[in-house]
Amino acid sequence: MSVPLSPTTRSTLTRKKDRAARDRADLYGVLDEALVCHVGLVLHGSPVVLPTGYGRDGDTLYFHGSTGSGNLRAAASRVDVCVTVTILDGIVYARSLNNHSMNYRCAVIHGRARPVTEAAEKLHGLRVVTDHLAPGSWEHAREVSAKELAAVSVLALDLAEASVKVRSGEPIDEPEDLEHGTAWAGVLPVHTTFGAPAPATYVPADMPLPAHVTERGNGVSPEPVR
């Protein structure tokens, strides 16, 4: 069943409103495909935007960082934050420089992050982040120790106030450029791909790659250890 986004004043597009995606599934799609978000807030009177690992569970976005991070401590104090995620799909070449553009999918989430302090949810949030960035590692790697858990901050952000903007398709040129222009126009696609896994130097040469790594790397042969 389609569930629409519910725009607020902050999450309503002011330009290119026709590029707004209206369905919550579009928000989920962008968040689930991208790998890095950018968390923006005001710290000591100055704007700060930092790339951050994240993961989505339903309508909750989890992200984490060191307890020593001033930015994370500020975000945990329930100040307004803005989280953005962008997927670049192509560079759009038009016949005029003015109409060059990008094809993209972008999500912007406003809200106040909630610090996760209860141990069970904290572990759950870390698993959500891990499963998003490196699926399969939660079961494969060593468990999080009590010391490690105490040293990490996990924050949860509700996805209630969000917008999604999408640009796709070919360039949009002026009528005179369509009729008389001589420059090439089109789209150069951009794809994010995984390369060959590169084992750490201390991993034995005969140790096989785990399935969750080979599957993520699309079966590409590992790089030799140098």
Side-chain angles (χ1 to χ4, degrees):
M1 182 178 66
S2 176
V3 180
L5 290 169
S6 301
T8 65
T9 301
R10 292 192 297 187
S11 64
T12 299
L13 301 187
T14 57
R15 289 196 72 252
K16 305 289 185 180
K17 294 183 179 181
D18 58 306
R19 296 181 183 175
R22 310 293 182 183
D23 198 282
R24 188 156 287 273
D26 297 311
L27 172 65
Y28 299 158
V30 173
L31 295 178
D32 293 349
E33 183 174 340
L35 295 174
V36 176
C37 72
H38 286 81
V39 180
L41 52 81
V42 175
L43 181 65
H44 306 311
S46 181
V48 178
V49 180
L50 291 176
T52 307
Y54 72 93
R56 180 185 72 86
D57 181 18
D59 280 317
T60 300
L61 192 79
Y62 288 102
F63 57 97
H64 75 304
S66 168
T67 54
S69 167
N71 304 298
L72 265 292
R73 288 200 301 270
S77 68
R78 307 307 293 268
V79 299
D80 286 335
V81 299
C82 179
V83 175
T84 64
V85 171
T86 302
I87 301 170
L88 180 62
D89 292 319
I91 306 300
V92 179
Y93 293 79
R95 283 185 164 173
S96 69
L97 291 175
N98 186 62
N99 286 320
H100 275 56
S101 187
M102 295 181 290
N103 283 343
Y104 61 87
R105 288 163 286 156
C106 178
V108 178
I109 303 121
H110 296 275
R112 295 184 176 183
R114 170 177 60 86
V116 177
T117 56
E118 197 271 323
E121 188 188 1
K122 196 172 184 181
L123 282 171
H124 173 71
L126 290 174
R127 177 166 189 166
V128 170
V129 173
T130 301
D131 285 345
H132 180 69
L133 186 63
S137 289
W138 191 264
E139 294 82 8
H140 181 77
R142 173 181 60 77
E143 293 182 354
V144 179
S145 69
K147 181 179 180 180
E148 290 167 337
L149 189 63
V152 68
S153 294
V154 178
L155 283 76
L157 180 64
D158 193 284
L159 297 177
E161 189 177 1
S163 64
V164 178
K165 191 174 183 179
V166 177
R167 201 264 186 218
S168 61
E170 65 179 15
I172 302 173
D173 270 312
E174 306 303 325
E176 58 270 25
D177 291 316
L178 293 175
E179 296 176 8
H180 306 294
T182 58
W184 183 85
V187 177
L188 180 64
V190 176
H191 302 288
T192 298
T193 60
F194 293 99
T201 55
Y202 54 79
V203 171
D206 59 350
M207 179 177 286
L209 281 169
H212 68 280
V213 176
T214 56
E215 291 169 2
R216 198 78 188 280
N218 298 317
V220 180
S221 299
E223 295 286 351
V225 177
R226 293 179 173 83

